[in-house]
Amino acid sequence: MSAVGLVFSNIHDQNIPDLTRKRTMASVPFGCRYRLIDFTLSNMVNSGITKVGVITHNNYQSLLDHIGTGKDWDLARRSGGIKLLPPFITSFSGAGANKLYSTRLEAMMGAMDFISRCNEDYVVLSDCDAISNIDLSDVIRQHKETGADITVVTTTVDTDNFEISSGSAVITSDENNRISDVVHFNHRLHGMREISTNIIVATRSYLQSAVADASSHGYTSFYSDVIDRNLLRANYFVYHYDGFFAQITSLAGYYACNMKLLENNVRASLFGERNRPILTKVRNSAPTRYADGAKVTNSLIADGCVIEGVVENSIIFRGVKVGKGSVVKNCILMQDTVVGNDVSLGCVVSDKNVLIKDGRNLSGHSTLPFFIGKGTMI
């Protein structure tokens, strides 16, 4: 098996503009110490993929800072490794054509030079807005055995209780796992549906010809203009994934997905696989200090924190300080947030480097969290 990875770092940025205003979707902090791209990169590295291209769009400085040389994912290699692919714009384009990509297919068109220089047989495509721990080598094995041109990883969800983006692909397959229909999700669809996780394995030679054909016809949608148009002419299959899967489509969805980490079975599904660890940038921080009188229940707290008050059902990132007499419930406090004394917080999401002064009382709801932007002082 030889495969190369291709990661879309900015796809779906518009779903959570509060958190992606100054960063990509890929670099959004998650679960105390991770970024969203950590799950995608870890899935690839754990499956033996050692060459990964990351397609960027804008606001990717924080992504560069996080990935660095790629050594934390064992991707700092002389041959292969991780490659950041800036958005492609030719200096000779006309004014109307001189623009960045807006769809997955357009992003792939810009990455064709990278793909054409690869020698691997297969390409694994993945977005960064999905949380899962999947064995991609098993997906590639099925792709090879079925002789598929494209294999789409799908999962079955209850559309009435699962937050789905309006642009998500709902896929119908037959008893042989061959794709028979593809439609975009809309709110008239109810019940159990099979949706794409936006993890796709494609035969490299086929992907090159399909993208070249789409480019010559001016197509823009991968699912509608490539897969749906060629269902009768090509071999498209699904791979059914039954593990934990969550898709971040809004700030409320981001909040809910983080809160799910407080459930033992979810943590076991994501982080309990010894052979498939979720890797991230290593920081050598001091252990968290709990002062006399501090009380912490059902929370995840990273290293480097100082807890002097009460923390319940919360996700606390590195370097956070919670002052004396303060109560933090059902909150997500990102790196270096400082909560003063006698503060009350409920359903609050604070970005990095936030200062909340003494005596403040802030509250939101699980369906509409109170968001505090990066570097804000309240």
Side-chain angles (χ1 to χ4, degrees), residues 291-305:
D292 291 340
K295 181 181 178 182
V296 177
T297 56
N298 193 38
S299 298
L300 296 180
I301 298 183
D303 48 356
C305 299

Side-chain angles (χ1 to χ4, degrees), residues 349-370:
V349 176
S350 74
D351 209 328
K352 297 172 62 176
N353 301 309
V354 165
L355 171 61
I356 303 174
K357 291 188 173 183
D358 297 349
R360 303 301 191 260
N361 188 339
L362 306 174
S363 182
H365 188 268
S366 60
T367 59
L368 188 63
F370 186 94

Side-chain angles (χ1 to χ4, degrees), residues 49-317:
I49 299 173
T50 58
K51 182 190 291 185
V52 180
V54 180
I55 302 177
T56 59
H57 189 289
N58 56 8
N59 288 337
Y60 50 86
Q61 183 60 54
S62 63
L63 181 63
L64 290 170
D65 295 340
H66 180 68
I67 292 177
T69 63
K71 65 181 179 66
D72 294 297
W73 299 267
D74 193 26
L75 289 173
R77 297 168 176 257
R78 180 172 297 176
S79 177
I82 193 163
K83 314 288 184 185
L84 268 78
L85 311 177
F88 176 80
I89 300 178
T90 173
S91 57
F92 301 102
S93 296
N98 192 16
K99 62 180 181 180
L100 296 177
Y101 68 83
S102 59
T103 68
R104 186 188 324 277
L105 183 56
E106 291 175 343
M108 278 190 274
M109 292 175 186
M112 275 299 107
D113 184 56
F114 168 77
I115 294 174
S116 65
R117 286 186 281 109
C118 294
N119 297 318
E120 288 76 9
D121 298 321
Y122 307 107
V123 181
V124 179
L125 313 169
S126 181
D127 291 354
C128 288
D129 66 328
I131 309 299
S132 65
N133 187 337
I134 181 173
D135 183 3
L136 292 174
S137 60
D138 193 48
V139 185
I140 297 171
R141 177 195 57 77
Q142 178 190 296
H143 178 85
K144 185 177 180 180
E145 289 177 353
T146 57
D149 296 313
I150 289 176
T151 298
V152 180
V153 178
T154 61
T155 189
T156 302
V157 301
D158 183 354
T159 58
D160 298 319
N161 297 304
F162 188 91
E163 188 170 354
I164 304 175
S165 172
S166 58
S168 294
V170 178
I171 294 178
T172 303
S173 59
D174 61 22
E175 64 277 4
N176 296 318
N177 293 328
R178 183 183 289 271
I179 297 176
S180 56
D181 191 22
V182 177
V183 298
H184 287 292
F185 175 77
N186 62 72
H187 295 287
R188 293 189 296 273
L189 297 175
H190 297 283
M192 305 301 293
R193 299 283 180 172
E194 193 172 11
I195 66 167
S196 170
T197 62
N198 290 326
I199 299 173
I200 300 165
V201 175
T203 301
R204 187 174 66 89
S205 57
Y206 177 80
L207 183 66
Q208 286 179 280
S209 62
V211 172
D213 179 72
S215 177
S216 65
H217 285 87
Y219 296 153
T220 59
S221 172
F222 182 75
Y223 286 106
S224 298
D225 294 328
V226 175
I227 294 184
D228 194 41
R229 286 177 182 270
N230 296 291
L231 283 177
L232 300 179
R233 295 191 295 270
N235 295 320
Y236 297 152
F237 288 82
V238 299
Y239 175 95
H240 300 281
Y241 174 65
D242 297 325
F244 176 80
F245 173 78
Q247 194 175 46
I248 295 174
T249 62
S250 65
L251 181 62
Y254 170 81
Y255 174 86
C257 192
N258 271 274
M259 290 295 110
K260 280 185 175 294
L261 295 182
L262 300 178
E263 301 174 15
N264 291 332
N265 62 324
V266 172
R267 289 200 305 276
S269 178
L270 284 177
F271 307 109
E273 295 288 345
R274 180 170 296 183
N275 297 325
R276 299 205 306 270
I278 301 300
L279 307 169
T280 189
K281 184 177 182 179
V282 175
R283 298 179 184 272
N284 297 318
S285 303
T288 290
R289 179 170 67 86
Y290 299 90
D292 291 340
K295 181 181 178 182
V296 177
T297 56
N298 193 38
S299 298
L300 296 180
I301 298 183
D303 48 356
C305 299
V306 177
I307 308 298
E308 298 177 339
V310 175
V311 178
E312 297 181 9
N313 305 321
S314 295
I315 308 291
I316 309 297
F317 285 71

Side-chain angles (χ1 to χ4, degrees), residues 4-52:
V4 60
L6 195 62
V7 179
F8 303 91
S9 67
N10 286 86
I11 296 287
H12 311 305
D13 276 4
Q14 70 279 5
N15 289 343
I16 46 172
D18 306 279
L19 290 171
T20 57
R21 188 167 288 115
K22 296 182 179 180
R23 58 168 71 92
T24 66
M25 175 68 81
S27 57
V28 168
F30 181 84
C32 283
R33 59 196 300 264
Y34 301 97
R35 302 292 181 115
L36 291 183
I37 196 173
D38 292 338
F39 294 88
T40 300
L41 291 181
S42 298
N43 286 338
M44 291 184 175
V45 171
N46 293 336
S47 302
I49 299 173
T50 58
K51 182 190 291 185
V52 180

